[in-house]
C-alpha cells in the first residue's frame, strides 16, 4: 500500500536543454501533464517538477521537440513528504478524537437565576448531584440532579440542567419568601415609627387616635387595636392602615480626613498558567505568593466557542500591579452623599421632598450630614399581647 | 470584423454581466503582488526570473518583477509566484 502510494506520488526533477525550452513546457501543458516549480537555470535550460508516472510522456515529447532531458528521481523526498502527510493526517485524527472525547465531559458550568444563593453553594450541591467539572455528561439525568440538589438547597423552587457541548447550563428559580399574613387573632396597634406631623390617617381596622395636622412622637399609638364597648367586653383587633406624615431626617456619614492611599508604583508583572481539567500548570518559576503591597487581577479564558462549546483548557492571566501607600484625602464627598441618599431612600416608606447636605470637620474626622424632609407612612404594627 | 469580435464584451457591458463570461481574451488575478493566476493563456513566450511573457488568446502578457517562478501550469491556466512589479498587456 505504502509503496503503491509512493509510486503514485513519486516526483522527478527534470532539466530541459534546448534552443527554446519554453515551447517544450507549452507542449507539456497542452498535453495536460502536471508540472510545477518551473525555474530558469540558464539561457537554454529550464527545470521543473513532475510526477514520475508522467515521465514516459515527457520523454516522448522531449524527443519530438528535440530537447535534451535530464531527469533526477527523488523517491526519498517523496517518502519524506508522504511521511509528513501521514503525520498530519494522524494529528488531525487524534485532535478530532480528543475533541470528541472531551466533548463528552463537562468543562464549564454556568448558573443562571440565582440571587440569594451563592454560586459556591450551588456548585457544591451540584457536585453532590454528579455535576462538576470533568463529569461524564451522558450519565447526568436532570431529574436525578434536581432530586439531590433541591432538598439540599430549599431556597430553590425549580431547577434544571441543560447540557450544551461540554457546558452545563443550570437554570434555577429561587423560592419567593412567603408574604407576611395578618392574622385577625393577633391583636395589634399601629404606632408611630418616626416623629412627624400627620398629613393623612387612613385606618382600615382599629380605632383612630390621631387626626391630620397633629404632631406625633416615636412610639405614640396612632390606631388602637383595643375597641371599647359600652355594652359588653373590650374587643381586640389587628389594627391596619396607613398614616402619612411629614418627617425630618438627619443622617451622618463619618470618614477620616486623611488615610493611606494607593499610588501605582513600579513595574506591572504578568504571570500565566494553564489549567488542564482540574490540574493547574504554572508557567512561572517563582512561588505563588503575591508580592506585598500589590493589587492582583486574575482573568480566566476558557478555550472553545463562547456560549457553545468549551474545552478542558483554561488560560489564567495574573496581573500584579505594585503600589505605594501615601497619606492623602480619604473622603469622596460625592460618593458619601450618594450613599447617604441611598440609605435614606431605603429607610423611607414614602418620598423625599427636600434634601440638603452640610459638612464639618472635627478631631481629624470629616462629617457629612444629610437633612431631608419626607412624606412617608410612619405606622408600624405592635402586638398587644406577646 | 473587429466589431463582431468585440460584440460579446459590448453585450456583457450592456446587460451588466461579468465581462469574463464572454471575454475570451484572458484574465489575470494578482494577490498581494506575490501571486498571479493567469487564465486563458496559450503558452510561454519568454521565461526568466525577471520577466515572464505569456501568449494570450489575444495579444501578449508580460509580467515583470524579481525572483519570479512558474509555480504550476496546465492547458489554460498558469500560476506565477515572486515579486510582481508590473503587468503589461500588449
Amino acid at each position: 500500500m505504502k509503496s503503491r502510494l509512493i509510486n503514485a506520488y513519486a516526483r522527478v526533477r527534470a532539466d530541459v536543454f534546448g534552443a527554446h525550452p519554453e515551447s517544450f513546457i507549452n507542449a507539456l501543458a497542452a498535453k495536460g501533464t502536471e508540472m510545477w516549480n518551473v525555474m530558469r537555470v540558464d539561457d537554454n535550460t529550464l527545470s521543473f517538477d513532475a510526477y514520475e508516472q508522467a515521465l514516459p510522456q515527457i520523454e516522448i515529447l522531449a524527443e519530438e521537440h528535440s530537447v535534451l532531458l535530464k531527469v533526477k528521481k527523488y523517491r526519498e523526498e517523496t517518502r519524506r513528504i508522504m511521511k509528513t502527510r501521514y503525520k498530519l493526517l494522524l494529528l488531525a485524527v487524534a485532535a478530532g478524537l480528543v475533541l470528541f472525547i472531551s466533548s463528552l465531559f463537562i468543562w464549564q458550568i454556568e448558573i443562571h437565576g440565582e440571587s440569594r444563593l451563592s454560586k459556591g453553594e450551588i456548585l457544591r450541591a451540584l457536585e453532590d448531584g454528579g455535576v462538576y467539572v470533568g463529569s461524564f455528561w451522558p450519565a447526568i439525568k436532570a431529574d436525578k440532579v434536581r432530586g439531590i440538589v433541591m432538598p439540599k438547597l430549599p431556597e430553590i423552587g425549580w431547577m434544571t440542567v441543560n447540557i450544551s457541548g461540554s457546558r452545563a447550563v443550570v437554570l434555577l428559580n429561587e423560592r419567593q419568601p412567603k408574604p407576611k399574613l395578618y392574622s385577625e387573632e393577633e391583636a395589634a396597634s399601629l404606632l408611630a415609627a418616626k416623629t412627624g406631623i400627620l398629613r393623612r390617617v387612613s385606618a382600615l381596622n382599629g380605632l383612630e387616635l390621631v387626626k391630620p395636622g397633629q404632631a406625633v412622637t416615636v412610639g405614640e399609638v396612632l390606631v388602637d387595636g383595643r375597641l371599647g364597648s359600652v355594652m359588653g367586653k373590650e374587643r381586640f383587633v389587628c389594627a391596619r392602615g396607613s398614616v402619612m406624615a411629614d418627617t425630618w431626617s438627619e443622617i451622618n456619614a463619618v470618614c477620616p480626613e486623611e488615610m493611606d492611599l494607593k499610588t501605582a508604583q513600579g513595574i506591572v508583572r504578568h504571570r500565566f498558567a494553564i489549567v488542564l481539567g482540574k490540574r493547574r500548570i504554572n508557567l512561572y518559576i517563582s512561588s505563588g505568593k503575591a508580592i506585598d503591597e500589590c493589587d492582583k487581577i486574575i482573568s480566566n479564558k476558557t478555550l472553545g466557542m463562547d456560549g457553545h462549546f468549551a474545552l478542558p483548557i483554561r488560560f489564567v492571566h495574573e496581573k500584579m500591579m505594585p503600589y505605594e501607600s501615601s497619606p492623602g484625602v480619604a473622603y469622596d464627598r460625592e460618593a458619601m452623599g450618594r450613599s447617604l441618599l441611598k440609605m435614606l431612600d431605603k429607610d423611607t416608606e414614602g418620598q423625599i421632598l427636600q434634601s440638603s447636605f452640610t459638612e464639618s470637620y472635627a478631631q481629624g474626622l470629616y462629617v457629612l450630614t444629610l437633612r431631608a424632609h419626607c412624606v412617608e407612612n410612619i405606622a408600624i404594627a405592635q402586638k398587644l399581647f406577646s | 470584423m473587429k466589431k463582431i469580435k468585440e460584440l460579446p464584451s459590448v453585450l456583457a457591458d450592456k446587460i451588466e454581466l461579468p465581462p469574463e463570461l464572454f471575454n475570451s481574451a484572458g484574465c489575470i488575478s494578482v494577490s498581494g503582488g506575490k501571486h498571479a493566476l493567469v487564465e486563458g493563456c496559450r503558452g510561454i513566450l519568454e521565461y526568466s526570473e525577471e520577466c515572464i511573457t505569456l501568449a494570450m488568446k489575444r495579444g501578449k502578457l508580460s509580467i515583470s518583477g524579481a525572483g519570479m517562478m512558474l509555480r504550476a501550469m496546465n492547458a489554460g491556466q498558469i500560476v506565477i509566484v515572486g515579486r510582481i512589479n508590473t503587468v503589461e498587456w500588449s
Side-chain angles (χ1 to χ4, degrees):
Chain A
M1 173 73 178
K2 204 173 172 181
S3 60
R4 226 185 287 168
L5 265 173
I6 288 168
N7 281 340
Y9 289 104
R11 290 136 185 254
V12 290
R13 182 94 192 144
D15 289 341
V16 193
F17 178 80
H20 193 245
E22 287 91 341
S23 61
F24 174 71
I25 299 290
N26 291 339
L28 272 181
K31 285 271 178 193
T33 309
E34 282 187 72
M35 60 180 159
W36 57 94
N37 294 346
V38 183
M39 288 168 92
R40 167 74 68 187
V41 180
D42 57 50
D43 288 349
N44 296 316
T45 315
L46 278 175
S47 74
F48 63 91
D49 286 337
Y51 286 120
E52 200 181 304
Q53 279 182 329
L55 200 55
Q57 197 184 10
I58 294 168
E59 283 170 341
I60 293 164
L61 268 173
E63 267 188 38
E64 282 174 9
H65 283 78
S66 308
V67 288
L68 213 65
L69 196 69
K70 203 173 141 191
V71 176
K72 189 187 167 192
K73 292 182 182 178
Y74 48 103
R75 290 207 148 205
E76 269 310 307
E77 181 72 9
T78 312
R79 203 165 277 135
R80 192 183 57 76
I81 291 166
M82 293 305 288
K83 265 186 187 174
T84 314
R85 283 185 185 177
Y86 272 129
K87 281 177 192 167
L88 282 172
L89 191 71
L90 273 174
L91 205 72
V93 170
L97 211 65
V98 167
L99 213 66
F100 172 71
I101 293 167
S102 79
S103 71
L104 295 174
F105 295 88
I106 286 172
W107 301 117
Q108 202 177 11
I109 300 173
E110 283 177 24
I111 300 165
H112 300 282
E114 86 285 3
S115 58
R116 279 175 289 144
L117 286 166
S118 71
K119 278 203 171 155
E121 281 175 296
I122 300 164
L123 285 172
R124 275 192 292 278
L126 282 170
E127 193 166 349
D128 293 339
V131 181
Y132 51 88
V133 172
S135 58
F136 185 61
W137 68 257
I140 294 169
K141 297 278 175 287
D143 290 338
K144 199 179 156 190
V145 177
R146 201 180 298 136
I148 295 169
V149 175
M150 283 180 66
K152 281 181 187 288
L153 301 170
E155 294 89 345
I156 297 175
W158 170 87
M159 71 163 287
T160 191
V161 181
N162 295 328
I163 310 289
S164 155
S166 47
R167 284 163 63 243
V169 181
V170 182
L171 304 173
L172 54 91
N173 264 335
E174 286 183 3
R175 228 181 269 279
Q176 293 299 316
K178 282 181 186 169
K180 194 182 172 186
L181 297 173
Y182 286 102
S183 167
E184 290 296 333
E185 302 298 317
E186 288 180 12
S189 293
L190 294 182
L191 307 185
K194 287 181 182 177
T195 300
I197 299 170
L198 303 183
R199 275 197 176 199
R200 183 169 54 84
V201 181
S202 136
L204 300 172
N205 204 5
L207 182 68
E208 279 183 30
L209 298 180
V210 287
K211 296 282 174 213
Q214 189 180 329
V216 291
T217 54
V218 179
E220 203 174 317
V221 181
L222 304 172
V223 181
D224 202 355
R226 295 166 210 269
L227 297 176
S229 171
V230 183
M231 303 294 288
K233 278 184 180 178
E234 201 178 30
R235 283 194 303 123
F236 299 99
V237 292
C238 179
R240 280 186 288 141
S242 69
V243 179
M244 300 303 285
D246 285 287
T247 59
W248 287 265
S249 305
E250 188 178 301
I251 316 174
N252 292 318
V254 183
C255 187
E257 269 190 86
E258 273 195 355
M259 65 186 287
D260 283 346
L261 295 175
K262 290 176 183 177
T263 319
Q265 196 77 31
I267 304 156
V268 177
R269 284 173 60 185
H270 299 269
R271 291 202 307 203
F272 299 92
I274 297 173
V275 181
L276 297 170
K278 286 183 175 179
R279 192 182 167 83
R280 182 184 163 114
I281 301 161
N282 293 334
L283 304 176
Y284 49 85
I285 303 161
S286 59
S287 72
K289 273 189 177 176
I291 310 159
D292 290 339
E293 300 216 316
C294 173
D295 282 329
K296 192 173 175 183
I297 299 167
I298 301 170
S299 52
N300 289 285
K301 173 78 187 154
T302 305
L303 214 66
M305 285 167 72
D306 277 348
H308 297 284
F309 178 76
L311 283 173
I313 304 165
R314 188 157 49 91
F315 294 105
V316 182
H317 174 212
E318 291 178 0
K319 189 178 177 186
M320 280 170 290
M321 295 178 293
Y323 61 81
E324 219 170 52
S325 301
S326 55
V329 179
Y331 59 86
D332 180 350
R333 192 191 176 281
E334 297 297 315
M336 284 168 81
R338 276 198 301 274
S339 302
L340 283 174
L341 277 172
K342 214 171 173 182
M343 274 176 68
L344 180 71
D345 194 45
K346 205 177 165 186
D347 200 36
T348 308
E349 266 189 59
Q351 64 177 115
I352 303 162
L353 294 180
Q354 200 181 10
S355 63
S356 63
F357 290 100
T358 51
E359 47 190 345
S360 59
Y361 300 89
Q363 297 171 347
L365 296 172
Y366 170 76
V367 183
L368 185 71
T369 307
L370 167 66
R371 287 188 184 88
H373 175 202
C374 312
V375 173
E376 59 180 316
N377 178 18
I378 58 165
I380 53 157
Q382 170 82 47
K383 280 183 186 175
L384 288 175
F385 312 107
S386 54
Chain B
M1 189 66 185
K2 196 183 172 187
K3 277 185 180 176
I4 293 168
K5 274 186 180 179
E6 282 174 0
L7 191 65
S9 53
V10 172
L11 198 68
D13 208 32
K14 289 276 180 203
I15 56 175
E16 292 181 356
L17 277 173
E20 54 266 29
L21 282 179
F22 295 97
N23 197 346
S24 57
C27 175
I28 177 164
S29 322
V30 182
S31 36
K34 286 181 178 174
H35 183 278
L37 169 70
V38 185
E39 288 169 290
C41 163
R42 282 188 165 168
I44 309 164
L45 296 174
E46 194 192 329
Y47 186 90
S48 69
E49 283 190 358
E50 289 76 35
C51 181
I52 296 175
T53 308
L54 305 170
M56 305 302 285
K57 283 176 185 167
R58 277 187 226 161
K60 286 194 293 184
L61 178 75
S62 294
I63 301 170
S64 316
M68 289 202 298
M69 191 177 81
L70 216 148
R71 174 66 78 197
M73 181 181 179
N74 66 18
Q77 294 176 320
I78 283 182
V79 177
I80 293 164
V81 292
R83 207 176 73 217
I84 297 164
N85 291 338
T86 57
V87 176
E88 201 182 324
W89 211 294
S90 53

